Each structure stands twice: as structure tokens, then as C-alpha cells.
Amino acid sequence: MNATAEKLRLDKWLWFARFFKTRSLAAARVATGDVRVNGERVTKRATTIGAGDVLTFAQGRVVRVVEVVGIGTRRGPAPEAQALYNDMTPPPPPPEDAVPVNPKFEGKGRPTKRDRRQADLSRARHLE
């Protein structure tokens, strides 16, 4: 394999790997400096990346950390795109505003009227 096939433009790779819907969206994200390659901020769309590079960027509300495993030749189907990277994104923290589930009701079907009133009271106490 020659050296040109082992490297690819950053914006093109992000598009190939299906992180962005269009190549222009990927290029715009890189141009604003929101993408880091191996911990260094990048603003050039034509920055070349290869296997082993680690990319960090925001996608929606999640900060994605991915390791480049391969360089694609096209923007193919999702399974082909997922083979291009190793996702190292940490799992999201559990939601803090979740109401605890009463173990009394788990797997027992519908609660009785008395059980429902007690659950409402415990929820009201929890929110205070």
C-alpha cells in the first residue's frame, strides 16, 4: 500500500465514518476548532489522519472520543462505517433527576389502590 492510501483528510474521514450527515458539516466543525487530533486542536479541514490517531469532538450533547482503526474508501453502510473506528467515549452518567423505583412493584403487575397511594406519598417526600 502506498503512503497516500494510508492517510485521509479529516473532514472526509468524519463523513465516511458517518459522524456527520454531510461533508460540509464535518468541514465546518473542523474549521471552528471543535475537533482535536491526538489532543491537539485542529482548524484545517485538510489535516491528514491515519490509523492510530485519536479524535475528540462534540456530537450533540455527547463528547465523542474515537480511535481511527482504518481509512475508508467510500461512505458506505453503517456496519462498514463502524469498522473504521474504535469508540472510546465514556458511558454517560446516570440521570440525577430519576425517581427511585419501588422494588415492591417490580415484576408484580399492576399495584393496588393502597400501594399506589403509598408510592405517591413516598415520591412526594422524595421531591421535597
Side-chain angles (χ1 to χ4, degrees), residues 38-61:
N38 298 326
E40 295 183 21
R41 194 174 194 179
V42 176
T43 57
K44 289 187 176 182
R45 301 169 186 148
T47 301
T48 56
I49 60 167
D53 288 337
V54 177
L55 307 178
T56 308
F57 57 93
Q59 187 179 28
R61 293 184 180 194

Side-chain angles (χ1 to χ4, degrees), residues 42-115:
V42 176
T43 57
K44 289 187 176 182
R45 301 169 186 148
T47 301
T48 56
I49 60 167
D53 288 337
V54 177
L55 307 178
T56 308
F57 57 93
Q59 187 179 28
R61 293 184 180 194
V62 179
V63 175
R64 303 290 301 257
V65 180
V66 295
E67 178 185 7
V68 178
V69 175
I71 302 297
T73 56
R74 66 183 185 126
R75 187 174 198 259
E80 186 178 313
Q82 290 168 352
L84 298 178
Y85 63 90
N86 180 19
D87 195 359
M88 302 185 311
T89 305
E96 295 177 13
D97 60 340
V99 177
V101 176
N102 190 344
K104 184 176 182 181
F105 300 139
E106 280 188 45
K108 293 188 178 181
R110 188 173 176 166
T112 64
K113 190 172 188 178
R114 180 173 178 250
D115 293 337

Side-chain angles (χ1 to χ4, degrees), residues 1-9 12 48-50 71-73:
M1 232 176 178
N2 57 17
T4 58
E6 296 174 2
K7 297 279 185 176
L8 188 68
R9 288 176 57 117
K12 200 170 185 179
T48 56
I49 60 167
I71 302 297
T73 56

